[in-house]
Amino acid sequence: MAIKATTRKPLKGNDRSHALNTSKRARKLNLQVHTLEDGTKVRLTAREKRTLRKDGKNK
């Protein structure tokens, strides 16, 4: 089981049709499991995972 390490929430808004009807929707996060150097598995967003890789903190 992976530990949830992000505090981000889904974006919320409305879907609009051509007739301007509205319905609520949530744009969900792209959560992925990432294994740290010490073997711990964490759930991060794809953006956070990319930042870790870019900064050289974890490969």
Side-chain angles (χ1 to χ4, degrees):
M1 183 75 178
I3 300 167
K4 186 176 179 187
T6 187
T7 59
R8 297 183 56 177
K9 305 280 185 196
L11 288 174
K12 297 197 174 172
N14 289 324
D15 267 342
R16 297 299 295 249
S17 68
H18 289 291
L20 298 180
N21 297 331
T22 62
S23 60
K24 288 289 188 183
R25 70 153 299 158
R27 294 184 188 265
K28 297 188 178 172
L29 301 173
N30 185 5
L31 289 176
Q32 298 180 355
V33 176
H34 183 70
T35 305
L36 299 176
E37 291 174 348
D38 61 351
T40 307
K41 290 184 179 181
V42 293
R43 287 180 65 190
L44 300 171
T45 61
R47 180 180 290 181
E48 292 168 338
K49 189 174 176 179
R50 182 172 173 255
T51 303
L52 282 177
R53 188 175 59 232
K54 187 180 89 169
D55 291 344
K57 304 237 190 290
N58 208 343
K59 304 236 177 201

